[in-house]
Amino acid sequence: MAQVTRQPVVMSKAEPLLLGFPSPLSRQFRQIFHFCPCRQMDPDPLIDHLMVDFSLTPSDPSTLILNGIPGLEASHIWISIPFSMFFAIGLLGNFMLLFVVSKEQTLHKPMYLLLWMMALTDIATSTAVVPKELCVFWFNLKGITVGGCLTQMVFLHAVSIMQSVILVAMAFDRYVAICNPLRYTTILTNARIAKLGLLSLIRAVLFILPLPLLLRRQPFCANLIIPHTYCEHMAVVKISCGKVTVNRMYSLLITFVVLGLDLMLIALSYGLILRAVLRISSKKAHEKAFNTCTALICVMMMSYPPFFFSTLTHTFGQGIAPHIHIILANLYFLLPKMLNRIIYGVKNKKLHEKVVKCTSRM
């Protein structure tokens, strides 16, 4: 009788963990986790079914990479110094305005409540961008989950639309105060300002919510690097391998229709204000009216042009260097948030007096 020689069984390090399982289950684990390199893993119908249910594709990543400012990686530390200074000064000014308006009963009026809402949105946008940005610059922590990226994108764009509504309300507030001052207290009340804030939030969410839903259905390429410091919509769209025509068109629709309509309403308000002011013969009244509107015009000039520039550059500005575009996009979230409070503090004497009074008490 021939002697049978038994060959030793060569196992991978993880194979012993499966010896206690029944044979079919052990075979299934080997297929899923590639324990047998010589066998091609067959697609699991359960996993495919779950991917279809959740509108995912097998190429969907779990982590994306925020690359910072392309071409200036060696200068990230130096770039972070002015960025962090702008962020700190902006936070200090905005929190000071929130504190002063909340504490002083004489400032509980529509104009100051709108400033309070604007300061709140400024804090929200800057804190959603800058801390993660500084983690990229200082600690090279570039990873961000897909869910976190989409959440940041929705939050930033929704708050930007809310700010646009607040600027429209501030322009209308100045129109009523100058052109129809006797009815100011009946037209603009604190309750109506609160309802306006709620409506602006609902409007922003309804317009921005399709963006992550459209992106979630897109397959991502093997290159998961986002050449940006935060999850800007078009920057995320560019790393998708699917058809993104709908995403691009919807982004342009929001830019030109939604924000363009707000800008037209603001221009209409100031056109009516200008017409009313020119009809006044008093030079002192002219100066008072123009001083009242100057602050808001400065805020508008710092808000709308950078936003339109950033959006249009992604679509039409292929000749613009990426690092210039990204630096300007970051300054859009930093400089207006810092300078808005300085402008209002200088132009609005009553607010300036209250700020000085509160700081002197500390």
Side-chain angles (χ1 to χ4, degrees), residues 63-84:
T63 303
L64 302 176
I65 304 297
L66 291 171
N67 199 37
I69 304 177
L72 298 178
E73 289 85 357
S75 304
H76 276 175
I77 295 294
W78 297 106
I79 295 173
S80 69
I81 296 175
F83 279 16
S84 57

Side-chain angles (χ1 to χ4, degrees), residues 187-259:
I187 295 176
L188 289 172
T189 62
N190 292 348
R192 287 180 178 174
I193 295 299
K195 291 178 182 178
L196 176 68
L198 181 60
L199 288 175
S200 67
L201 176 61
I202 296 173
R203 174 184 183 251
V205 172
L206 290 178
F207 277 113
I208 295 300
L209 195 58
L211 293 180
L213 297 180
L214 291 171
L215 269 177
R216 193 63 177 170
R217 301 182 66 87
Q218 294 290 338
F220 289 95
C221 302
N223 182 16
L224 303 177
I225 298 175
I226 302 175
H228 216 297
T229 55
Y230 62 90
C231 291
E232 203 273 339
H233 173 247
M234 291 307 300
V236 180
V237 166
K238 287 182 177 180
I239 67 170
S240 172
C241 295
K243 295 181 179 180
V244 294
T245 305
V246 177
N247 301 70
R248 291 178 182 272
M249 295 301 294
Y250 190 75
S251 177
L252 292 175
L253 177 71
I254 293 176
T255 302
F256 288 105
V257 177
V258 180
L259 298 182

Side-chain angles (χ1 to χ4, degrees), residues 8-283:
V9 178
V10 179
M11 295 186 298
S12 63
K13 293 182 179 180
E15 184 90 2
L17 298 176
L18 300 175
L19 294 178
F21 289 102
S23 178
L25 184 60
S26 176
R27 186 162 50 252
Q28 184 179 4
F29 269 78
R30 290 191 189 99
Q31 290 179 353
I32 294 176
F33 293 102
H34 299 274
F35 286 139
C36 183
C38 61
R39 178 180 297 178
Q40 180 68 27
M41 186 184 73
D42 297 328
D44 194 327
L46 177 60
I47 294 177
D48 291 342
H49 178 67
L50 290 175
M51 287 181 175
V52 172
D53 287 345
F54 287 97
S55 298
L56 297 173
T57 61
S59 60
D60 280 339
S62 60
T63 303
L64 302 176
I65 304 297
L66 291 171
N67 199 37
I69 304 177
L72 298 178
E73 289 85 357
S75 304
H76 276 175
I77 295 294
W78 297 106
I79 295 173
S80 69
I81 296 175
F83 279 16
S84 57
M85 289 177 59
F86 296 156
F87 176 61
I89 296 172
L91 280 184
L92 179 63
N94 284 301
F95 275 116
M96 177 62 70
L97 189 143
L98 292 178
F99 175 75
V100 171
V101 174
S102 300
K103 186 176 180 181
E104 294 292 334
Q105 293 292 330
T106 56
L107 298 181
H108 291 181
K109 296 178 181 179
M111 181 177 68
Y112 298 103
L113 292 180
L114 289 171
L115 289 176
W116 189 90
M117 293 167 60
M118 181 64 76
L120 197 62
T121 57
D122 284 345
I123 292 172
T125 51
S126 60
T127 51
V129 171
V130 179
K132 177 59 181 176
E133 184 176 79
L134 294 180
C135 286
V136 174
F137 289 165
W138 292 346
F139 310 112
N140 206 32
L141 299 176
K142 300 181 177 183
I144 184 170
T145 63
V146 175
C149 185
L150 295 179
T151 301
Q152 186 190 54
M153 181 186 70
V154 170
F155 189 77
L156 289 177
H157 291 292
V159 173
S160 297
I161 291 182
M162 285 185 64
Q163 286 181 333
S164 182
V165 176
I166 295 172
L167 287 174
V168 173
M170 293 171 74
F172 181 72
D173 172 85
R174 292 301 86 203
Y175 164 73
V176 176
I178 294 172
C179 300
N180 203 349
L182 298 179
R183 298 186 58 194
Y184 179 82
T185 55
T186 57
I187 295 176
L188 289 172
T189 62
N190 292 348
R192 287 180 178 174
I193 295 299
K195 291 178 182 178
L196 176 68
L198 181 60
L199 288 175
S200 67
L201 176 61
I202 296 173
R203 174 184 183 251
V205 172
L206 290 178
F207 277 113
I208 295 300
L209 195 58
L211 293 180
L213 297 180
L214 291 171
L215 269 177
R216 193 63 177 170
R217 301 182 66 87
Q218 294 290 338
F220 289 95
C221 302
N223 182 16
L224 303 177
I225 298 175
I226 302 175
H228 216 297
T229 55
Y230 62 90
C231 291
E232 203 273 339
H233 173 247
M234 291 307 300
V236 180
V237 166
K238 287 182 177 180
I239 67 170
S240 172
C241 295
K243 295 181 179 180
V244 294
T245 305
V246 177
N247 301 70
R248 291 178 182 272
M249 295 301 294
Y250 190 75
S251 177
L252 292 175
L253 177 71
I254 293 176
T255 302
F256 288 105
V257 177
V258 180
L259 298 182
L261 178 61
D262 292 346
L263 195 56
M264 288 176 59
L265 292 175
I266 293 173
L268 177 63
S269 297
Y270 279 104
L272 295 175
I273 290 173
L274 182 61
R275 187 184 68 173
V277 169
L278 293 177
R279 290 179 177 178
I280 302 174
S281 58
S282 173
K283 186 178 179 180

